[in-house]
Amino acid sequence: MCWRFCDHFAIRSDSADGADGLEPAPVRRISVEWHCVGEASSIRERTMTTSPGNGISHPKVTAFFDKDTNTISYVVQDPGSEACAIIDSVMDFDFPAGRISYTSADKLIQFVRDQGLAVEWLIETHAHADHLSGAPYIQQQLGGKLGIGEHIVTVQQEFGKVFNEGTEFRRDGSQFDRLFKDGDTYSIGSLTAHVMHTPGHTPACTTHVIGDAAFVGDTLFMPDGGTARADFPGGNARTLYRSMRRILETLPPDTRLFMCHDYGPNGREIRWETTVADERAHNIHVRDGISEDEFVAMREARDKTLAVPKLILPSLQVNIRAGHLPEPDASGKRFLKVPLNGL
């Protein structure tokens, strides 16, 4: 099955190799600039126009890097209006001190206000295990609907048990404004975003294709970073391989891919943007020619050597609640749990 995106809607064909004969025209970039904002984050802004002849839109994408969690958040703007979406925002959390703050989220809010944008969506590509979502805080300030993949209910069921959540914790995804199914669409101004269910890292992972840009969450890393782990509850290396190959084999080769994390392997500078073609040619884990069995053997062996993310316990307790903190007790204090030997 192949999906090709033209003029804000998807054309579906049953040829896995894209034998419909459609080839995207070259992308025309009109401006590129690089900014650094403080020590906590950096912004890269790239303004795009429509490629001549192919009708594929080119959203303006601004990236914010959070160095404490190596997370990249995005503001994705419709080039024809003020409408935008925010993808994978961060709430700051000092675990030893038990203190939350909103420095990272405030940078996004200030940027949106400075640019005169209107937030229509706050998107979570999955329930993150390495940072806490800042979406509810941003939603309170700027509005917009909060969306995640429909399989968040599986994650809620699993981690509801881990954290011994009571019956008051809803496991139906109702904390979010919308639960996306595979193939769903939503609008950002005149842009149409397309949702792909891409599980493996977690059951609820989604990739959001917006014009010539795809936001892959933790499914893929930069080519020299490889791929995400698949050993969390509900994760599966074989499923992850199939999700990644679906992305790489069904999207046009010049599709821009935006990562949710980068760790600067071998000391290189932090990066977050690549292309389908580059991943297929150079990804150290899943480039063309690496079989499913080879990947699974590598991924499962590698995952056994990885430490548990340092923020996994607070992150998941908050993120299965759509970024909301647990309800306060009778004294008004809020608590996060540390289940012993629970993972």
Side-chain angles (χ1 to χ4, degrees):
M1 180 182 298
C2 182
W3 290 88
R4 307 304 299 271
F5 297 99
C6 300
D7 197 20
H8 315 312
F9 60 89
I11 298 176
R12 177 177 173 177
S13 78
D14 291 328
S15 57
D17 59 356
D20 49 24
L22 295 177
E23 290 297 333
V27 173
R28 180 161 59 94
R29 291 171 170 81
I30 62 171
S31 70
V32 179
E33 54 184 312
W34 177 272
H35 304 272
C36 288
V37 180
E39 295 184 354
S41 67
S42 59
I43 303 176
R44 186 182 183 186
E45 182 174 333
R46 191 184 296 268
T47 305
M48 313 297 292
T49 63
T50 300
S51 293
N54 71 353
I56 300 177
S57 57
H58 300 276
K60 179 179 178 180
V61 178
T62 306
F64 295 76
F65 177 69
D66 177 63
K67 71 173 185 177
D68 290 335
T69 62
N70 288 84
T71 301
I72 302 101
S73 306
Y74 297 98
V75 177
V76 184
Q77 183 184 347
D78 173 17
S81 72
E82 291 73 39
C84 72
I86 294 175
I87 299 178
D88 289 335
S89 60
V90 174
M91 178 171 66
D92 304 299
F93 184 61
D94 182 345
F95 201 177
R99 183 173 295 111
I100 62 171
S101 59
Y102 300 98
T103 301
S104 296
D106 282 337
K107 292 179 186 298
L108 292 165
I109 291 169
Q110 191 61 52
F111 177 81
V112 167
R113 287 175 172 164
D114 287 347
Q115 299 297 312
L117 304 180
V119 175
E120 296 192 348
W121 286 96
L122 298 119
I123 300 298
E124 299 291 321
T125 55
H126 63 293
H128 303 272
D130 42 28
H131 72 269
L132 287 67
S133 171
Y137 173 77
I138 296 173
Q139 187 178 42
Q140 184 180 38
Q141 304 286 321
L142 299 176
K145 295 180 180 179
L146 177 54
I148 197 169
E150 64 173 340
H151 294 280
I152 185 62
V153 298
T154 303
V155 180
Q156 290 176 328
Q157 291 284 351
E158 181 69 36
F159 285 96
K161 298 173 186 175
V162 170
F163 296 115
N164 195 28
E165 300 290 356
T167 56
E168 68 277 5
F169 172 62
R170 303 186 306 278
R171 295 164 172 82
D172 59 1
S174 58
Q175 300 88 343
F176 297 85
D177 297 312
R178 182 165 173 186
L179 302 182
F180 295 113
K181 296 180 173 63
D182 185 60
D184 274 357
T185 63
Y186 59 96
S187 296
I188 307 167
S190 64
L191 298 172
T192 298
H194 303 260
V195 181
M196 300 172 68
H197 181 218
T198 48
H201 174 60
T202 79
C205 289
T206 52
T207 293
H208 294 253
V209 183
I210 308 171
D212 76 334
F215 299 85
V216 299
D218 289 6
T219 301
L220 279 164
F221 290 162
M222 293 295 290
D224 59 347
T227 59
R229 64 196 298 166
D231 60 335
F232 295 149
N236 182 279
R238 196 168 298 277
T239 301
L240 177 61
Y241 179 88
R242 294 173 183 177
S243 291
M244 292 185 295
R245 293 309 303 182
R246 181 187 178 199
I247 293 169
L248 298 180
E249 293 175 10
T250 61
L251 296 180
D254 61 350
T255 301
R256 297 179 290 157
L257 300 181
F258 292 92
M259 312 295 112
C260 184
H261 294 286
D262 187 65
Y263 301 93
N266 301 313
R268 69 149 168 77
E269 67 179 7
I270 297 297
R271 298 173 186 163
W272 46 75
E273 180 183 348
T274 183
T275 65
V276 165
D278 199 29
E279 291 280 10
R280 294 189 67 165
H282 302 296
N283 188 287
I284 60 174
H285 293 168
V286 73
R287 65 181 177 272
D288 289 356
I290 296 177
S291 72
E292 181 175 314
D293 287 342
E294 288 172 327
F295 172 80
V296 170
M298 178 282 302
R299 187 70 266 169
E300 291 181 346
R302 179 172 173 78
D303 286 349
K304 292 177 182 177
T305 71
L306 299 178
V308 174
K310 64 180 181 179
L311 292 181
I312 187 171
L313 295 177
S315 293
L316 286 171
Q317 286 176 81
V318 169
N319 293 340
I320 61 176
R321 292 177 164 86
H324 294 282
L325 297 171
E327 291 297 318
D329 67 5
S331 70
K333 294 181 179 179
R334 300 178 190 269
F335 294 87
L336 292 170
K337 299 176 181 178
V338 179
L340 301 180
N341 302 317
L343 294 177

